[in-house]
């Protein structure tokens, strides 16, 4: 995708949100820098169409990057007939208010990327969950309280996606996301939801497991993006900062209050191993709950199959073999049950 904007101070948030559907390049009309022409699946503009110079700059950018048939979504800051006419004049395939909720924006982007057809149920649920993850991480990064209502909506969407028993479709959509933190949260939550569904947990227990998975890495919202997105090995100091995220997440959820004890515990303990070799507290065996054991299995598996610029993803069979080789660290009974989630055949 290509985002054309004249307000770069707001483009980072929009760019990160759009990365749900894949890599997104940005053209800042205030500081034009050559962006190598490439095959684009979608062009998006967030520009003041009442400014004639900006309109002409958008025209030039579109001429450089738009191929025949490439859809173009124009975000309107002023939803007046005049700006709508201007959007059509520069070739907009669709228009949307620049103030549209994130769920509406992502839904329209997904529709346009899929040729204008209606999205499938799992895709709709994935979009809903992605919006919740974006809101959660942004609030956490700012130090604001998380929204219980939004989190409940995300949990519901992920569980209903798990009902479809199409983990492959969920993984494909997760892997299209260009933001590693969003990708990991959605991947672990989807795996945990499928795990709980496969174990025939009642709905209340399923919501607890999925909620714990959704929030397990909330502490990473306080880790600098330069570290989270570093394309290579971390230094000793950077690793120390990353390893603080369970404590940070625990403190964050505990201070806000209103979260189930098991959810807070998952944020604190998902890097603990049964043999005491984990962190941050070196818990052992009976000190680690069954729910945390489930989240840990999903978390480790997700890290193995994730796609990163510096490593190739493991195939499911290889990743499961790696888990099985972690003798004494993971719950063997739960691990055998997890195999039916990821390798059902």
């Amino acid at each position: 995708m290509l985002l054309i904007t004249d307000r770069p101070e707001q483009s980072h948030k929009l760019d990160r949100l759009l990365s749900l559907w894949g890599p997104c390049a940005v053209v800042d009309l205030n500081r034009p820098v050559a962006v190598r022409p490439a095959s684009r699946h979608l062009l998006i503009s967030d520009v003041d169409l009442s400014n004639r110079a900006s309109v002409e700059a958008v025209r030039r950018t579109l001429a450089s990057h738009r191929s025949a048939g490439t859809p173009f979504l124009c975000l309107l800051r002023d939803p007046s007939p005049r700006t709508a006419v201007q959007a059509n004049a520069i070739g907009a395939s669709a228009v949307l208010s620049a103030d549209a909720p994130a769920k509406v924006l992502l839904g329209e982007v997904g529709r346009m990327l899929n040729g204008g057809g209606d999205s499938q149920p799992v895709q709709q649920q994935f979009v809903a969950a992605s919006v919740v993850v974006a809101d959660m991480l942004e609030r956490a990064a700012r130090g604001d309280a998380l929204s219980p209502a939004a989190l409940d909506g995300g949990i519901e969407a992920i569980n209903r996606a798990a009902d479809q028993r199409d983990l492959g479709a969920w993984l494909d959509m997760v892997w299209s996301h260009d933001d590693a933190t969003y990708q990991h949260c959605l991947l672990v939550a989807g795996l945990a939801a499928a795990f709980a569904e496969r174990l025939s947990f009642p709905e209340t227990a399923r919501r607890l497991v999925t909620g714990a998975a959704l929030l397990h890495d909330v502490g990473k919202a306080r880790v600098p993006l330069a570290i989270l997105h570093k394309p290579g090995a971390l230094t000793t100091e950077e690793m120390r900062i990353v390893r603080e995220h369970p404590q940070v997440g625990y403190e964050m959820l505990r201070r806000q209050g209103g979260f189930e004890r098991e959810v807070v515990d998952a944020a604190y303990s998902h890097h603990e191993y049964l043999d005491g070799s984990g962190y941050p507290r070196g818990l052992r065996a009976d000190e680690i709950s069954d729910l945390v054991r489930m989240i840990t299995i999903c978390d480790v598996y997700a890290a193995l199959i994730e796609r990163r610029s510096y490593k190739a993803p493991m195939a499911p069979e290889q990743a499961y073999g790696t888990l099985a080789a972690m003798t004494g660290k993971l719950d063997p009974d739960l691990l055998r049950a997890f195999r039916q989630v990821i390798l059902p055949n």
Side-chain angles (χ1 to χ4, degrees), residues 76-277:
L76 301 180
R77 297 176 199 167
D78 171 20
S80 66
R82 179 174 177 270
T83 56
V85 168
Q86 184 66 75
N88 289 327
I90 59 176
S93 309
V95 297
L96 196 64
S97 170
D99 296 325
K103 183 177 179 180
V104 174
L105 171 61
L106 290 176
E108 180 62 13
V109 169
R111 186 190 69 81
M112 296 179 75
L113 287 171
N114 285 304
D118 293 333
S119 57
Q120 298 300 309
V122 173
Q123 187 181 74
Q124 295 169 3
Q125 290 144 356
F126 178 70
V127 168
S130 296
V131 172
V132 170
V133 169
D135 177 72
M136 174 186 76
L137 293 176
E138 287 168 12
R139 286 173 179 263
R142 295 194 303 264
D144 295 344
L146 306 183
S147 168
L151 291 169
D152 285 345
I155 293 167
E156 174 70 14
I158 295 167
N159 280 343
R160 298 295 71 82
D163 288 342
Q164 306 295 319
R165 291 206 170 191
D166 192 354
L167 184 60
W170 183 269
L171 295 181
D172 285 342
M173 286 181 282
V174 168
W175 283 325
S176 73
H177 209 307
D178 201 41
D179 187 287
T181 307
Y182 287 16
Q183 183 186 101
H184 185 73
C185 288
L186 289 163
L187 182 50
V188 174
L191 288 166
F195 200 177
E197 193 276 336
R198 178 67 67 170
L199 292 174
S200 300
F201 280 15
E203 185 63 23
T204 300
R206 290 180 64 188
R207 293 185 65 82
L208 188 63
V209 171
T210 304
L214 192 63
L215 285 161
H216 83 286
D217 257 355
V218 67
K220 282 188 177 177
R222 301 288 178 83
V223 177
L225 290 178
I227 294 178
L228 290 177
H229 296 170
K230 183 177 179 179
L234 300 180
T235 66
T236 301
E237 176 61 16
E238 290 168 339
M239 183 60 73
R240 182 191 65 77
I241 293 172
V242 171
R243 286 170 65 98
E244 290 177 348
H245 78 270
Q247 180 75 39
V248 172
Y250 164 73
E251 294 290 347
M252 193 184 303
L253 298 180
R254 187 182 61 83
R255 279 197 303 270
Q256 177 170 334
F259 296 100
E260 292 93 338
R261 176 182 55 80
E262 296 89 345
V263 171
V264 179
D265 187 35
Y268 200 9
S269 307
H270 62 277
H271 284 292
E272 302 284 2
Y273 291 136
L274 301 182
D275 63 0
S277 63

